Amino acid sequence: MTIHSAVIQKLLSTNAHLGRRVAAHHFKIYTYGARNGVTIIDSDKTLICIRNACHFISNLVRQKGKSRNKKLHLGSIQPPDCVVIMDTERKSSVIFEADKLQIPIVGLVNSDMPWDVYKRITYPVPANDSVKFVYLFCNLITKTFLMEQKRFQEVDNKQLRLTTDENREESEYLKLTMTSSSKDENPVIPYESLDLTSDVFSAFMMRLFMTLLNADPVETKQLLDKLVVIKLNGALGTKMGFSGPRSATEVCNGLTYLDLIINQIESLNSKHGCNVPLILTNTIRTHDGTLKVVEKYSQKNIDILPLCQNPSHPVARGRDSEDESVLFDHHELFLSLKNTGTLEALLLQGKEYILVVKYDNLGTLIDSKILNHLIQNRIQYCTELSEIAQMPGKNSLEKSKLVDTGNLWMNLEVVERLVETDGKNIENYSLSKSFDRAIKVNVPHSRFQPMMSTSDLFLFQSDLYSYGGSLIRNSARTNSLNPCIELGPEFEKLSDFQSRFKSIPSIIELDSLKVMGDVWFGTGITLKGKVAIIAKPGVKLEIPDGVVIENKEISDPSDI
């Protein structure tokens, strides 16, 4: 059942469609006909009028958000900006008075309402004023006001935080970023503002209806059914000491990165009854190792398609590396989808967008909020950027910068058109300039948790994260940012990393950690604040079991 049909059924259950025996001439635009002498009100027209009324209420809230000295009142305490009337038959004097004062009126109208009253109602809603419908309509008006107020308040609060003295430099940086991006064809859009465009108001209204109906989120299923996830899976674990795919590195509880990404998609498919497939683009040197991981998911609720790149392509001939940015070749990706028939099959299935995951990013993978924004606003190309703090020791005046999260959204029909019309020359094009409507989204920190080295692995194997179907950040940590971890070359290989830690220290209250030299860790260690452990040349530095190290620089056992 679609959202539209669910809403219509709800309206029918309130008898909103039952008019009076007489239908005035001016009301016939809202009627579906008559049955047994009773006017039947067109529920689709009622729904459209409800949407227009709620849209008007939303605009009043937005005007308040723009610091205009206006307030929305549903009562008659003082002259309001709007009057909402349920019993219009008995409140004709109020309607005439509001019209005289030029106050907009939202009101329920039935089929026999006189023309001289009807014409004064700015936003008429054709419906039977039954108790059930009045209750529903009151809820819609109230929740529209409260939800819009809450959303804009959240944006205002963020703007306020960014203009305080403590964050003034950050605010100036964001202003510079937005200024520079305004000259670019790909503007940077704050994640919090994705729901605030007028183009997504219909989706907002549908969510509002579904909240009142307490119904299953059918919209989420329909949204996710339009998506395909493509994981670029050519990076090797060479830097960490093994020749297989880096995505096959164990992260926690015996699960690899591939396990985590597959489990997340499979969970979404099961929860919403949708079908989000996963395509893995492998190279010759990562293909076999990937198959070993995915073969155990053959009976799960997820379609996994491993694709091996063309052996004649330079990447497949030996450019496999730990640098995944080198491996992203949009020309090769598009042609692989085309030549294997995958592109055509996906379009026939009704798929509209692909999410290309370029890095082993343990942050949230699929975000329906971003997908909804792209669909509603017909965006063809979107890159995700995340604001991160600069690493300690960098010679930079910037405290933060925007970095590519490795998540890239593209419209599938445009991809097909690019391949069909100019497949031979597409490799020479700038990818973003090949799409007419392109944006960048500044996403939360949580969506960028890369696993590129053992320093990253340290975070995910610590008590900062746990696994419960997906990685869950420990709520005990008050700092929204993760600690900055810098492990020396002695920890670079996975085998060395595992042997030098009897167990990963507790880091809930850690700000930064730098470890260099021949350092070995015992069990039950707690690190807090800023910690630097740098062993002197030729010295084996062992951190004993159970110690607590807070805001210290350690180079000798006596410093502990």
Side-chain angles (χ1 to χ4, degrees), residues 216-264:
D216 182 61
V218 182
E219 180 189 3
T220 303
K221 175 190 181 313
Q222 295 176 339
L223 204 62
L224 294 175
D225 274 336
K226 300 177 186 293
L227 181 65
V228 180
V229 177
I230 299 179
K231 170 70 178 79
L232 302 185
N233 197 46
L236 293 170
T238 308
K239 185 177 180 181
M240 291 191 285
F242 61 96
S243 58
R246 190 174 64 206
S247 59
T249 305
E250 182 180 330
V251 179
C252 65
N253 295 351
L255 298 174
T256 67
Y257 169 79
L258 275 181
D259 289 315
L260 295 178
I261 187 175
I262 292 172
N263 285 339
Q264 183 188 126

Side-chain angles (χ1 to χ4, degrees), residues 143-159:
K143 286 184 179 293
T144 297
F145 174 77
L146 294 177
M147 290 174 69
E148 287 285 358
Q149 186 181 53
K150 179 181 178 181
R151 292 195 301 169
F152 279 90
Q153 187 63 46
E154 289 174 352
V155 175
D156 289 343
N157 288 341
K158 182 177 181 181
Q159 296 284 350

Side-chain angles (χ1 to χ4, degrees), residues 362-400:
L362 295 171
T364 303
L365 178 65
I366 297 175
D367 191 312
S368 57
K369 183 175 178 178
I370 296 177
L371 179 60
N372 178 70
H373 182 84
L374 302 183
I375 293 174
Q376 295 293 334
N377 294 279
R378 302 179 299 283
I379 303 298
Q380 300 176 357
Y381 180 94
C382 172
T383 55
E384 292 184 32
L385 305 177
S386 180
E387 189 176 334
I388 65 169
Q390 291 283 63
M391 290 290 289
K394 298 287 185 181
N395 294 322
S396 173
L397 296 177
E398 297 177 353
K399 289 187 176 181
S400 59

Side-chain angles (χ1 to χ4, degrees), residues 42-90:
D42 190 335
S43 295
D44 282 326
K45 300 292 180 60
T46 301
L47 188 58
I48 292 171
C49 291
I50 291 175
R51 177 191 181 278
N52 292 338
C54 289
H55 198 173
F56 168 68
I57 300 296
S58 298
N59 284 333
L60 290 184
V61 181
R62 292 192 182 104
Q63 290 172 6
K64 180 181 179 181
K66 295 177 181 177
S67 299
R68 296 183 182 179
N69 187 23
K70 293 185 177 182
K71 295 183 179 180
L72 174 65
H73 294 277
L74 303 182
S76 56
I77 300 175
Q78 59 180 332
D81 293 307
C82 169
V83 175
V84 180
I85 303 177
M86 305 298 170
D87 187 2
T88 49
E89 290 186 356
R90 299 182 180 181

Side-chain angles (χ1 to χ4, degrees), residues 422-434:
D422 206 3
K424 294 182 179 180
N425 297 320
I426 194 173
E427 60 182 328
N428 300 320
Y429 294 167
S430 168
L431 184 57
S432 62
K433 292 182 180 179
S434 301

Side-chain angles (χ1 to χ4, degrees), residues 99-229:
D99 180 59
K100 182 179 179 181
L101 297 174
Q102 297 185 340
I103 298 173
I105 303 170
V106 175
L108 300 186
V109 298
N110 211 322
S111 58
D112 59 350
M113 173 166 284
W115 167 249
D116 62 334
V117 178
Y118 170 82
K119 68 181 181 179
R120 290 174 167 79
I121 299 177
T122 319
Y123 295 94
V125 177
N128 186 322
D129 56 353
S130 66
V131 174
K132 289 183 178 180
F133 181 78
V134 169
Y135 178 79
L136 173 67
F137 189 58
C138 286
N139 267 335
L140 285 170
I141 294 294
T142 304
K143 286 184 179 293
T144 297
F145 174 77
L146 294 177
M147 290 174 69
E148 287 285 358
Q149 186 181 53
K150 179 181 178 181
R151 292 195 301 169
F152 279 90
Q153 187 63 46
E154 289 174 352
V155 175
D156 289 343
N157 288 341
K158 182 177 181 181
Q159 296 284 350
L160 182 61
R161 289 196 301 271
L162 291 179
T163 54
T164 60
D165 292 337
E166 181 180 358
N167 295 306
R168 193 173 302 279
E169 292 184 11
E170 181 181 6
S171 178
E172 291 300 319
Y173 170 73
L174 286 176
K175 288 180 181 178
L176 290 174
T177 302
M178 295 301 293
T179 302
S180 62
S181 67
S182 64
K183 301 176 183 178
D184 190 4
E185 66 275 15
N186 301 357
V188 178
I189 298 176
Y191 180 83
E192 293 80 5
S193 69
L194 291 183
D195 279 343
L196 303 183
T197 60
S198 59
D199 288 343
V200 300
F201 185 77
S202 295
F204 161 67
M205 280 298 300
M206 290 298 102
R207 286 195 297 273
L208 185 58
F209 266 115
M210 297 312 292
T211 300
L212 293 175
L213 295 174
N214 294 318
D216 182 61
V218 182
E219 180 189 3
T220 303
K221 175 190 181 313
Q222 295 176 339
L223 204 62
L224 294 175
D225 274 336
K226 300 177 186 293
L227 181 65
V228 180
V229 177

Side-chain angles (χ1 to χ4, degrees), residues 191-466:
Y191 180 83
E192 293 80 5
S193 69
L194 291 183
D195 279 343
L196 303 183
T197 60
S198 59
D199 288 343
V200 300
F201 185 77
S202 295
F204 161 67
M205 280 298 300
M206 290 298 102
R207 286 195 297 273
L208 185 58
F209 266 115
M210 297 312 292
T211 300
L212 293 175
L213 295 174
N214 294 318
D216 182 61
V218 182
E219 180 189 3
T220 303
K221 175 190 181 313
Q222 295 176 339
L223 204 62
L224 294 175
D225 274 336
K226 300 177 186 293
L227 181 65
V228 180
V229 177
I230 299 179
K231 170 70 178 79
L232 302 185
N233 197 46
L236 293 170
T238 308
K239 185 177 180 181
M240 291 191 285
F242 61 96
S243 58
R246 190 174 64 206
S247 59
T249 305
E250 182 180 330
V251 179
C252 65
N253 295 351
L255 298 174
T256 67
Y257 169 79
L258 275 181
D259 289 315
L260 295 178
I261 187 175
I262 292 172
N263 285 339
Q264 183 188 126
I265 297 176
E266 195 273 335
S267 176
L268 282 175
N269 287 341
S270 298
K271 178 180 180 181
H272 300 288
C274 57
N275 177 27
V276 179
L278 172 63
I279 299 176
L280 300 170
T281 60
N282 306 320
T283 62
I284 293 176
R285 295 173 65 185
T286 64
H287 193 63
D288 291 341
T290 299
L291 293 180
K292 291 180 181 179
V293 176
V294 303
E295 64 183 5
K296 58 186 176 183
Y297 294 97
S298 58
Q299 303 301 318
K300 294 290 187 177
N301 186 23
I302 179 173
D303 294 330
I304 305 175
L305 177 61
L307 292 179
C308 191
Q309 289 180 318
N310 187 346
S312 65
H313 193 267
V315 173
R317 290 202 307 265
R319 282 176 57 193
D320 307 73
S321 74
E322 66 276 357
D323 185 0
E324 242 165 330
S325 61
V326 173
L327 303 176
F328 181 49
D329 186 324
H330 66 275
H331 172 253
E332 177 66 19
L333 173 61
F334 293 169
L335 288 184
S336 294
L337 295 175
K338 173 66 176 177
N339 295 337
T340 59
T342 306
L343 181 58
E344 181 180 3
L346 293 175
L347 289 169
L348 288 175
Q349 294 172 22
K351 305 301 181 184
E352 296 183 14
Y353 281 86
I354 55 176
L355 168 57
V356 180
V357 182
K358 294 190 286 184
Y359 307 137
D360 291 347
N361 181 1
L362 295 171
T364 303
L365 178 65
I366 297 175
D367 191 312
S368 57
K369 183 175 178 178
I370 296 177
L371 179 60
N372 178 70
H373 182 84
L374 302 183
I375 293 174
Q376 295 293 334
N377 294 279
R378 302 179 299 283
I379 303 298
Q380 300 176 357
Y381 180 94
C382 172
T383 55
E384 292 184 32
L385 305 177
S386 180
E387 189 176 334
I388 65 169
Q390 291 283 63
M391 290 290 289
K394 298 287 185 181
N395 294 322
S396 173
L397 296 177
E398 297 177 353
K399 289 187 176 181
S400 59
K401 65 176 182 178
L402 291 177
V403 298
D404 184 1
T405 67
N407 286 354
L408 175 62
W409 306 73
M410 290 182 284
N411 182 275
L412 205 54
E413 290 185 354
V414 179
V415 170
E416 182 192 38
R417 187 166 67 245
L418 290 174
V419 177
E420 292 285 354
T421 57
D422 206 3
K424 294 182 179 180
N425 297 320
I426 194 173
E427 60 182 328
N428 300 320
Y429 294 167
S430 168
L431 184 57
S432 62
K433 292 182 180 179
S434 301
F435 295 82
D436 294 333
R437 296 173 64 87
I439 64 171
K440 299 172 183 175
V441 177
N442 184 1
V443 298
H445 307 292
S446 59
R447 283 189 64 77
F448 186 52
Q449 304 293 340
M451 192 193 69
M452 314 291 281
S453 65
T454 53
S455 295
D456 300 322
L457 195 58
F458 175 92
L459 284 173
F460 301 118
Q461 293 188 351
S462 72
D463 59 349
L464 190 59
Y465 288 90
S466 60

